[in-house]
Amino acid sequence: MALSFGWWDNKAHRGTPVIVKMENPNWSIAEISSPDDDEYGAGEAFAVPGGGARKGARGKNAKQITWVLLLKAHRAAGCLTSIASAAVGLASAVRRRVVSGRTDSDGASSPPEESPVLRSRFYSCIKVFLWLSVVLLGFEVAAYLKGWHLSAVEMHRLVLPSSLGVRGFSESLYTGWVRFRVEYIAPPLQFLADACVILFLIQSADRLILCLGCFWIRFKRIKPLPKRSIGASEDPESGGDDYPMVLVQIPMCNEREVYQQSIAAVCNLDWPRSNILIQVLDDSDDPTTQALIKEEVEKWQQNGARIVYRHRVIRDGYKAGNLKSAMNCSYVKDYELVAIFDADFQPTPDFLKQTVPHFKDNEELGLVQARWSFVNKDENLLTRLQNINLCFHFEVEQQVNGVFINFFGFNGTAGVWRIKALEDAGGWLERTTVEDMDIAVRAHLKGWKFIYLNDVECQCELPESYEAYRKQQHRWHSGPMQLFRLCLPDIIRSKIGFWKKSNLIFLFFLLRKLILPFYSFTLFCIILPLTMFVPEAELPAWVVCYIPAAMSFLNILPALRSFPFIVPYLLFENTMSVTKFNAMISGLFQLGSAYEWVVTKKSGRSSEGDRTSLMKEPKQQRGASAPNLDAIAKDEPEPKKESKKKHNRIYRKELALAFLLLTASARSLLSAQGIHFYFLLFQGISFLLVGLDLIGEQID
């Protein structure tokens, strides 16, 4: 028996053969023999009297350790090589994007009515913070290396010599900076941080209450039910009271990619042909698109659908002006309800049968809103993150408000209005870019009630490029502030109850439309980086990490399949706060960009159900409005895919904030603030990816 070699052979057993297989295929497989090979091959030549260890055994074991260390070194080198290769590949991809990209300062990306001064004002403020942080970082690094860091108590006790050299002058300069920030910068910064934390807690409490309300709805299985279903007592061919007159409107503008599938879906609605009329409201300024849409409408007319094509010569008021013009037609007085679908929405054939019955024997009901579902929610990371947001909006916000207070913001599409409610509220107005929210607020002030149906879905598309999503969010967050300024006097003078007024002013507008983007941007993108350079003002770890993580978890509950994206969702929401804050300020103070209206770019991705309806003739009852879709599908030529050159944009605000946050994360290393460092680092990387347009699809 071989003797024990301490840590190497602490179990005092014979060595075993070791096979070392290198990852490089050019290397051979080496076999290292054990001490037993010498023992049985050479007899007692190496035996030590008294059963001592042989000299060859120690040498063999040393060789084994060497080979194992070489193997580990080889694996480490391979790992480093892979990381370096990935970093080089990412850097080259970023370089190509930067070279071929266009900045958001290009004239083509901004509305003509917005001046360059207004457009660059916000960016200039961010640049000031960025350069100031870079200077302070250099100053703090130098002070750290020189050992000048002093506490507040030590600083007041410090007495500098009368004759100062270069080193003394630098130390005196740093001491003066510390005194200045302690006395003049830290107090207002801490006050602003505390104020934002209070707003953050209030908004978090509101979100928690909404989630508890949604849980209660599910626990009690609360669901709006019509008093009588469609077709229970009437013959569908004869129409009758169960089938009221319904006007269907499809507003569109230069949406060449989606007009066919939306018109096909609406013409396939299961409703008596004599009781429905479809208006295609085309605001396109492209003659080719106009001709294509008009040709599609004529094709459906020939197949028996009651559908008309309308095109405005004077295109004022965007979507609101388009809908207002259509409601002025003389035949509208013959209809009781109006259903509205945007150009990319594809209602199911039974959509009207699930929504219209709620108006029966409910004269106070003005609106029935359906839920959106998305055909491209898994297309890329951007659409997945949007799906999380909108699932929470519909599942929690709309449903809770609809059940408990009978009011919510109209989503502009996939809804059915009572025409009398629209007229009572004053009709469509072109005064803001959120005409849907405007008409909903005015109808609520008149006493009309709303119903939200969470189980009735209408499929649509999500923006797949960051450019399209950014412009959409700008419109969605600047419009409510315009509307708040215009509606506040009407809300105060209205005859609705005190609690409804309070809900409308403080919750609907101030908390969810103004305070949310304000504190998100100010707290996490401005105050948090500044506290790294002014450590006397502090943000606790629970504000930076724990509460945001808990709120993100609540937001993701309605879309549990997206749980792996909870961290990207949290970072991306903070990244979008710069766009939302800019839009909120523009709408509140009526700056030029507040009136920007850009039609959201569509990709034309049809749902599986829509493609099936185009290829197969649906089962229809007598008198229904669905023509022979099979014949239309045969006559329809295959669209030719045009090759389009794609590019990306470089967003200056996001890039400036990325470098600001990364600079602050480097400064946090000097203070050994772990959670703050990781948050600032990953948030800065998130801003960098968005600023280089590395999220979502590129722009055609």
Side-chain angles (χ1 to χ4, degrees):
M1 294 288 292
L3 295 179
S4 172
F5 285 178
W7 64 272
W8 174 250
D9 196 12
N10 54 3
K11 293 184 180 180
H13 63 280
R14 295 180 181 270
T16 57
V18 177
I19 304 297
V20 180
K21 184 176 180 180
M22 311 307 293
E23 292 183 0
N24 192 328
N26 296 326
W27 292 10
S28 60
I29 299 177
E31 179 176 345
I32 306 176
S33 60
S34 68
D36 297 338
D37 298 336
D38 292 330
E39 179 181 354
Y40 295 108
E44 302 295 332
F46 296 94
V48 179
R54 295 177 298 276
K55 296 180 180 180
R58 186 179 297 273
K60 296 289 185 179
N61 287 324
K63 186 182 289 185
Q64 291 174 1
I65 296 174
T66 303
W67 279 107
V68 170
L69 293 178
L70 284 175
L71 175 60
K72 291 184 177 182
H74 172 70
R75 289 179 176 176
C79 181
L80 292 175
T81 303
S82 301
I83 294 175
S85 177
V88 170
L90 179 62
S92 61
V94 170
R95 182 183 60 82
R96 288 195 301 269
R97 287 242 176 166
V98 171
V99 171
S100 63
R102 304 176 186 177
T103 65
D104 55 353
S105 62
D106 293 343
S109 66
S110 301
E113 68 271 13
E114 184 182 1
S115 67
V117 176
L118 290 176
R119 191 169 62 245
S120 61
R121 187 177 299 167
F122 185 56
Y123 172 61
S124 300
C125 294
I126 296 177
K127 282 200 301 184
V128 169
F129 280 108
L130 172 61
W131 287 113
L132 182 62
S133 65
V134 171
V135 172
L136 292 178
L137 177 62
F139 205 19
E140 293 289 344
V141 170
Y144 182 82
L145 296 177
K146 295 291 186 178
W148 298 340
H149 278 64
L150 303 171
S151 64
V153 178
E154 293 173 339
M155 178 192 64
H156 289 292
R157 294 176 179 176
L158 179 66
V159 178
L160 295 177
S162 56
S163 59
L164 296 176
V166 176
R167 183 181 181 280
F169 174 76
S170 301
E171 190 170 352
S172 175
L173 183 64
Y174 180 76
T175 305
W177 154 246
V178 173
R179 287 175 176 169
F180 177 78
R181 80 186 187 197
V182 168
E183 295 178 3
Y184 299 103
I185 299 180
L189 183 61
Q190 187 67 57
F191 174 79
L192 184 59
D194 294 340
C196 287
V197 169
I198 293 174
L199 296 178
F200 179 35
L201 293 177
I202 294 174
Q203 198 274 332
S204 300
D206 173 63
R207 181 121 334 169
L208 179 60
I209 293 172
L210 287 174
C211 290
L212 292 176
C214 183
F215 173 77
W216 181 257
I217 291 173
R218 285 200 171 191
F219 179 72
K220 290 293 185 178
R221 298 182 179 179
I222 302 174
K223 177 183 176 182
L225 295 175
K227 296 182 179 180
R228 188 173 57 178
S229 61
I230 284 289
S233 61
E234 298 285 346
D235 181 14
E237 185 176 358
S238 62
D241 293 338
D242 276 359
Y243 294 91
M245 301 292 287
V246 178
L247 180 68
V248 182
Q249 296 177 333
I250 314 176
M252 57 179 64
C253 180
N254 295 325
E255 295 176 279
R256 187 172 180 175
E257 298 83 4
V258 293
Y259 73 93
Q260 286 180 313
Q261 62 196 43
S262 61
I263 293 176
V266 171
C267 288
N268 198 27
L269 288 172
D270 190 5
W271 204 254
R273 209 177 287 179
S274 59
N275 290 30
I276 188 172
L277 176 66
I278 302 167
Q279 289 180 319
V280 177
L281 312 177
D282 182 23
D283 254 6
S284 304
D285 56 5
D286 177 26
T288 304
T289 305
Q290 293 178 25
L292 290 172
I293 297 175
K294 190 173 183 180
E295 180 183 355
E296 184 72 14
V297 171
E298 292 174 351
K299 186 183 301 181
W300 282 95
Q301 288 175 343
Q302 295 171 4
N303 285 272
R306 292 192 66 206
I307 183 171
V308 295
Y309 174 84
R310 284 181 54 85
H311 178 75
R312 293 193 300 163
V313 178
I314 302 176
R315 300 169 55 251
D316 292 335
Y318 302 113
K319 181 181 176 181
N322 197 0
L323 294 171
K324 181 179 180 180
S325 174
M327 294 300 293
N328 289 331
C329 296
S330 59
Y331 52 78
V332 173
K333 66 179 183 298
D334 299 327
Y335 293 85
E336 179 183 352
L337 307 172
V338 55
I340 303 172
F341 301 99
D342 282 351
D344 60 318
F345 278 72
Q346 305 154 36
T348 56
D350 62 344
F351 181 87
L352 293 179
K353 286 191 172 183
Q354 296 185 69
T355 54
V356 171
H358 292 272
F359 290 94
K360 187 68 175 177
D361 300 329
N362 192 355
E363 296 299 325
E364 295 181 342
L365 182 61
L367 167 68
V368 174
Q369 173 72 59
R371 177 174 180 162
W372 297 1
S373 60
F374 311 104
V375 298
N376 60 338
K377 62 182 179 181
D378 297 324
E379 188 64 27
N380 54 43
L381 179 60
L382 179 61
T383 57
R384 291 177 186 271
L385 300 179
Q386 291 179 68
N387 180 59
I388 296 173
N389 248 345
L390 290 172
C391 281
F392 182 86
H393 170 69
F394 286 107
E395 182 86 13
V396 180
E397 292 179 338
Q398 298 289 77
Q399 185 172 211
V400 171
N401 290 326
V403 168
F404 292 104
I405 61 177
N406 297 118
F407 168 72
F408 47 82
F410 175 46
N411 294 117
T413 177
V416 182
W417 277 94
R418 191 187 296 273
I419 294 180
K420 184 180 178 181
L422 290 177
E423 295 173 348
D424 186 36
W428 298 101
L429 298 180
E430 309 98 322
R431 56 182 182 173
T432 70
T433 58
V434 283
E435 73 294 326
D436 45 7
M437 185 182 295
D438 188 2
I439 192 66
V441 170
R442 287 185 281 118
H444 179 59
L445 296 180
K446 292 292 183 179
W448 292 96
K449 295 182 178 180
F450 302 164
I451 284 180
Y452 172 75
L453 302 178
N454 193 57
D455 57 342
V456 179
E457 297 185 355
C458 189
Q459 290 193 328
C460 62
E461 289 187 15
L462 290 167
E464 296 182 7
S465 69
Y466 179 69
E467 175 71 10
Y469 179 63
R470 181 170 171 262
K471 291 186 177 298
Q472 181 196 69
Q473 292 299 305
H474 187 279
R475 175 164 54 88
W476 286 4
H477 286 81
S478 64
M481 289 298 98
Q482 302 174 32
L483 182 61
F484 179 64
R485 298 176 80 253
L486 296 171
C487 282
L488 184 59
D490 296 333
I491 296 173
I492 296 174
R493 292 193 301 262
S494 66
K495 297 180 180 180
I496 61 175
F498 172 77
W499 292 112
K500 289 186 176 181
K501 288 183 181 180
S502 302
N503 171 74
L504 204 55
I505 295 175
F506 296 107
L507 291 182
F508 186 78
F509 278 114
L510 290 181
L511 183 60
R512 297 168 187 165
K513 303 297 187 296
L514 188 148
I515 291 177
L516 177 59
F518 171 78
Y519 86 76
S520 296
F521 173 75
T522 308
L523 185 62
F524 296 109
C525 299
I526 299 298
I527 294 178
L528 178 59
L530 289 182
T531 56
M532 298 298 102
F533 299 100
V534 186
E536 292 78 15
E538 297 180 352
L539 277 179
W542 57 268
V543 173
V544 178
C545 179
Y546 304 129
I547 299 295
M551 292 300 103
S552 298
F553 178 74
L554 292 180
N555 281 12
I556 214 167
L557 282 179
L560 280 177
R561 290 182 56 190
S562 303
F563 187 78
F565 302 95
I566 185 171
V567 174
Y569 170 74
L570 171 61
L571 298 175
F572 182 70
E573 279 301 290
N574 290 334
T575 304
M576 283 303 301
S577 65
V578 60
T579 297
K580 296 176 181 179
F581 178 82
N582 189 23
M584 183 267 293
I585 294 297
S586 300
L588 191 62
F589 298 102
Q590 293 189 338
L591 303 180
S593 60
Y595 299 96
E596 175 184 0
W597 180 289
V598 179
V599 177
T600 305
K601 182 69 176 175
K602 314 295 192 309
S603 61
R605 301 185 187 278
S606 298
S607 66
E608 182 180 352
D610 185 65
R611 290 198 178 276
T612 303
S613 70
L614 287 173
M615 298 305 299
K616 297 180 180 179
E617 183 176 0
K619 295 181 180 179
Q620 52 181 307
Q621 58 179 335
R622 294 180 61 191
S625 62
N628 189 340
L629 298 176
D630 191 20
I632 295 178
K634 292 180 180 178
D635 296 337
E636 188 65 31
E638 288 292 331
K640 296 181 179 179
K641 293 184 179 180
E642 300 178 0
S643 59
K644 297 180 180 180
K645 186 177 180 180
K646 295 186 176 182
H647 65 276
N648 67 296
R649 288 198 180 277
I650 307 300
Y651 301 100
R652 301 182 301 164
K653 298 184 186 70
E654 284 80 356
L655 283 180
L657 281 169
F659 292 119
L660 171 63
L661 292 167
L662 292 174
T663 304
S665 68
R667 170 63 181 86
S668 68
L669 286 176
L670 303 180
S671 304
Q673 297 179 343
I675 292 180
H676 296 70
F677 165 73
Y678 288 113
F679 180 86
L680 290 167
L681 176 64
F682 290 116
Q683 191 64 69
I685 294 174
S686 176
F687 269 102
L688 184 63
L689 294 176
V690 172
L692 295 175
D693 199 11
L694 297 175
I695 180 173
E697 299 293 329
Q698 290 179 289
I699 307 169
D700 292 338

